[in-house]
PDB file of all heavy atoms in Angstrom:
ATOM      1  N   ILE W 160      11.940  -1.420 -12.726  1.00  0.00           N
ATOM      2  CA  ILE W 160      12.126  -2.866 -12.927  1.00  0.00           C
ATOM      3  C   ILE W 160      11.202  -3.365 -14.029  1.00  0.00           C
ATOM      4  O   ILE W 160      11.615  -4.140 -14.912  1.00  0.00           O
ATOM      5  CB  ILE W 160      11.902  -3.637 -11.604  1.00  0.00           C
ATOM      6  CG1 ILE W 160      13.010  -3.283 -10.604  1.00  0.00           C
ATOM      7  CG2 ILE W 160      11.851  -5.155 -11.843  1.00  0.00           C
ATOM      8  CD1 ILE W 160      12.736  -3.716  -9.170  1.00  0.00           C
ATOM      9  N   SER W 161       9.957  -2.918 -14.004  1.00  0.00           N
ATOM     10  CA  SER W 161       8.979  -3.292 -15.033  1.00  0.00           C
ATOM     11  C   SER W 161       9.473  -2.885 -16.421  1.00  0.00           C
ATOM     12  O   SER W 161       9.414  -3.667 -17.375  1.00  0.00           O
ATOM     13  CB  SER W 161       7.636  -2.625 -14.732  1.00  0.00           C
ATOM     14  OG  SER W 161       6.743  -2.797 -15.795  1.00  0.00           O
ATOM     15  N   TYR W 162       9.992  -1.679 -16.526  1.00  0.00           N
ATOM     16  CA  TYR W 162      10.495  -1.161 -17.810  1.00  0.00           C
ATOM     17  C   TYR W 162      11.672  -2.008 -18.306  1.00  0.00           C
ATOM     18  O   TYR W 162      11.720  -2.405 -19.471  1.00  0.00           O
ATOM     19  CB  TYR W 162      10.919   0.302 -17.655  1.00  0.00           C
ATOM     20  CG  TYR W 162      11.526   0.882 -18.906  1.00  0.00           C
ATOM     21  CD1 TYR W 162      10.719   1.313 -19.953  1.00  0.00           C
ATOM     22  CD2 TYR W 162      12.913   0.976 -19.040  1.00  0.00           C
ATOM     23  CE1 TYR W 162      11.277   1.828 -21.112  1.00  0.00           C
ATOM     24  CE2 TYR W 162      13.477   1.488 -20.195  1.00  0.00           C
ATOM     25  CZ  TYR W 162      12.661   1.914 -21.228  1.00  0.00           C
ATOM     26  OH  TYR W 162      13.209   2.419 -22.380  1.00  0.00           O
ATOM     27  N   ILE W 163      12.616  -2.315 -17.398  1.00  0.00           N
ATOM     28  CA  ILE W 163      13.793  -3.113 -17.776  1.00  0.00           C
ATOM     29  C   ILE W 163      13.376  -4.505 -18.240  1.00  0.00           C
ATOM     30  O   ILE W 163      13.829  -4.993 -19.282  1.00  0.00           O
ATOM     31  CB  ILE W 163      14.785  -3.197 -16.594  1.00  0.00           C
ATOM     32  CG1 ILE W 163      15.431  -1.830 -16.352  1.00  0.00           C
ATOM     33  CG2 ILE W 163      15.854  -4.262 -16.849  1.00  0.00           C
ATOM     34  CD1 ILE W 163      16.211  -1.722 -15.050  1.00  0.00           C
ATOM     35  N   VAL W 164      12.492  -5.145 -17.466  1.00  0.00           N
ATOM     36  CA  VAL W 164      12.049  -6.505 -17.802  1.00  0.00           C
ATOM     37  C   VAL W 164      11.328  -6.520 -19.153  1.00  0.00           C
ATOM     38  O   VAL W 164      11.530  -7.435 -19.960  1.00  0.00           O
ATOM     39  CB  VAL W 164      11.149  -7.073 -16.678  1.00  0.00           C
ATOM     40  CG1 VAL W 164      10.446  -8.352 -17.118  1.00  0.00           C
ATOM     41  CG2 VAL W 164      11.969  -7.334 -15.429  1.00  0.00           C
ATOM     42  N   GLN W 165      10.513  -5.502 -19.404  1.00  0.00           N
ATOM     43  CA  GLN W 165       9.722  -5.496 -20.638  1.00  0.00           C
ATOM     44  C   GLN W 165      10.509  -5.027 -21.863  1.00  0.00           C
ATOM     45  O   GLN W 165      10.167  -5.408 -22.984  1.00  0.00           O
ATOM     46  CB  GLN W 165       8.468  -4.639 -20.451  1.00  0.00           C
ATOM     47  CG  GLN W 165       7.477  -5.277 -19.483  1.00  0.00           C
ATOM     48  CD  GLN W 165       6.230  -4.441 -19.277  1.00  0.00           C
ATOM     49  OE1 GLN W 165       5.517  -4.150 -20.223  1.00  0.00           O
ATOM     50  NE2 GLN W 165       5.984  -4.048 -18.037  1.00  0.00           N
ATOM     51  N   THR W 166      11.542  -4.211 -21.671  1.00  0.00           N
ATOM     52  CA  THR W 166      12.303  -3.732 -22.834  1.00  0.00           C
ATOM     53  C   THR W 166      13.583  -4.538 -23.055  1.00  0.00           C
ATOM     54  O   THR W 166      13.839  -4.995 -24.164  1.00  0.00           O
ATOM     55  CB  THR W 166      12.653  -2.230 -22.694  1.00  0.00           C
ATOM     56  OG1 THR W 166      13.324  -2.020 -21.459  1.00  0.00           O
ATOM     57  CG2 THR W 166      11.424  -1.372 -22.781  1.00  0.00           C
ATOM     58  N   VAL W 167      14.375  -4.735 -21.999  1.00  0.00           N
ATOM     59  CA  VAL W 167      15.647  -5.454 -22.140  1.00  0.00           C
ATOM     60  C   VAL W 167      15.412  -6.956 -22.294  1.00  0.00           C
ATOM     61  O   VAL W 167      15.985  -7.600 -23.169  1.00  0.00           O
ATOM     62  CB  VAL W 167      16.581  -5.162 -20.937  1.00  0.00           C
ATOM     63  CG1 VAL W 167      17.864  -5.980 -21.042  1.00  0.00           C
ATOM     64  CG2 VAL W 167      16.894  -3.680 -20.844  1.00  0.00           C
ATOM     65  N   PHE W 168      14.557  -7.515 -21.427  1.00  0.00           N
ATOM     66  CA  PHE W 168      14.330  -8.964 -21.448  1.00  0.00           C
ATOM     67  C   PHE W 168      13.128  -9.373 -22.295  1.00  0.00           C
ATOM     68  O   PHE W 168      12.777 -10.542 -22.357  1.00  0.00           O
ATOM     69  CB  PHE W 168      14.189  -9.486 -20.008  1.00  0.00           C
ATOM     70  CG  PHE W 168      15.432  -9.286 -19.190  1.00  0.00           C
ATOM     71  CD1 PHE W 168      15.490  -8.279 -18.236  1.00  0.00           C
ATOM     72  CD2 PHE W 168      16.549 -10.079 -19.389  1.00  0.00           C
ATOM     73  CE1 PHE W 168      16.637  -8.076 -17.478  1.00  0.00           C
ATOM     74  CE2 PHE W 168      17.706  -9.893 -18.643  1.00  0.00           C
ATOM     75  CZ  PHE W 168      17.753  -8.882 -17.685  1.00  0.00           C
ATOM     76  N   ARG W 169      12.493  -8.406 -22.922  1.00  0.00           N
ATOM     77  CA  ARG W 169      11.409  -8.646 -23.892  1.00  0.00           C
ATOM     78  C   ARG W 169      10.209  -9.404 -23.335  1.00  0.00           C
ATOM     79  O   ARG W 169       9.551 -10.160 -24.037  1.00  0.00           O
ATOM     80  CB  ARG W 169      11.944  -9.397 -25.124  1.00  0.00           C
ATOM     81  CG  ARG W 169      13.072  -8.692 -25.835  1.00  0.00           C
ATOM     82  CD  ARG W 169      12.528  -7.547 -26.638  1.00  0.00           C
ATOM     83  NE  ARG W 169      13.570  -6.933 -27.422  1.00  0.00           N
ATOM     84  CZ  ARG W 169      13.580  -5.640 -27.738  1.00  0.00           C
ATOM     85  NH1 ARG W 169      12.607  -4.861 -27.323  1.00  0.00           N
ATOM     86  NH2 ARG W 169      14.543  -5.136 -28.463  1.00  0.00           N
ATOM     87  N   PHE W 170       9.919  -9.204 -22.055  1.00  0.00           N
ATOM     88  CA  PHE W 170       8.678  -9.733 -21.490  1.00  0.00           C
ATOM     89  C   PHE W 170       7.528  -8.910 -22.043  1.00  0.00           C
ATOM     90  O   PHE W 170       7.636  -7.684 -22.136  1.00  0.00           O
ATOM     91  CB  PHE W 170       8.676  -9.569 -19.964  1.00  0.00           C
ATOM     92  CG  PHE W 170       9.151 -10.760 -19.194  1.00  0.00           C
ATOM     93  CD1 PHE W 170      10.417 -11.280 -19.395  1.00  0.00           C
ATOM     94  CD2 PHE W 170       8.325 -11.355 -18.248  1.00  0.00           C
ATOM     95  CE1 PHE W 170      10.866 -12.367 -18.666  1.00  0.00           C
ATOM     96  CE2 PHE W 170       8.771 -12.436 -17.512  1.00  0.00           C
ATOM     97  CZ  PHE W 170      10.043 -12.955 -17.728  1.00  0.00           C
ATOM     98  N   SER W 171       6.437  -9.560 -22.396  1.00  0.00           N
ATOM     99  CA  SER W 171       5.250  -8.780 -22.766  1.00  0.00           C
ATOM    100  C   SER W 171       4.639  -8.228 -21.479  1.00  0.00           C
ATOM    101  O   SER W 171       4.899  -8.752 -20.387  1.00  0.00           O
ATOM    102  CB  SER W 171       4.224  -9.658 -23.481  1.00  0.00           C
ATOM    103  OG  SER W 171       3.672 -10.601 -22.581  1.00  0.00           O
ATOM    104  N   ASP W 174       2.744 -11.018 -19.770  1.00  0.00           N
ATOM    105  CA  ASP W 174       3.579 -11.993 -19.062  1.00  0.00           C
ATOM    106  C   ASP W 174       4.124 -11.409 -17.755  1.00  0.00           C
ATOM    107  O   ASP W 174       4.156 -12.085 -16.726  1.00  0.00           O
ATOM    108  CB  ASP W 174       4.741 -12.454 -19.949  1.00  0.00           C
ATOM    109  CG  ASP W 174       4.278 -13.363 -21.078  1.00  0.00           C
ATOM    110  OD1 ASP W 174       3.114 -13.824 -21.038  1.00  0.00           O
ATOM    111  OD2 ASP W 174       5.068 -13.604 -22.010  1.00  0.00           O
ATOM    112  N   TRP W 175       4.562 -10.140 -17.802  1.00  0.00           N
ATOM    113  CA  TRP W 175       5.058  -9.462 -16.602  1.00  0.00           C
ATOM    114  C   TRP W 175       3.958  -9.436 -15.538  1.00  0.00           C
ATOM    115  O   TRP W 175       4.206  -9.756 -14.370  1.00  0.00           O
ATOM    116  CB  TRP W 175       5.509  -8.049 -16.957  1.00  0.00           C
ATOM    117  CG  TRP W 175       5.674  -7.137 -15.780  1.00  0.00           C
ATOM    118  CD1 TRP W 175       4.836  -6.131 -15.404  1.00  0.00           C
ATOM    119  CD2 TRP W 175       6.740  -7.129 -14.819  1.00  0.00           C
ATOM    120  NE1 TRP W 175       5.305  -5.503 -14.270  1.00  0.00           N
ATOM    121  CE2 TRP W 175       6.475  -6.095 -13.888  1.00  0.00           C
ATOM    122  CE3 TRP W 175       7.892  -7.901 -14.646  1.00  0.00           C
ATOM    123  CZ2 TRP W 175       7.313  -5.812 -12.808  1.00  0.00           C
ATOM    124  CZ3 TRP W 175       8.730  -7.619 -13.563  1.00  0.00           C
ATOM    125  CH2 TRP W 175       8.439  -6.587 -12.661  1.00  0.00           C
TER     126      TRP W 175
END
Side-chain angles (χ1 to χ4, degrees):
I160 293 167
S161 171
Y162 176 80
I163 290 168
V164 168
Q165 291 180 59
T166 54
V167 176
F168 297 104
R169 303 284 185 211
F170 265 58
S171 68
D174 288 348
W175 164 255

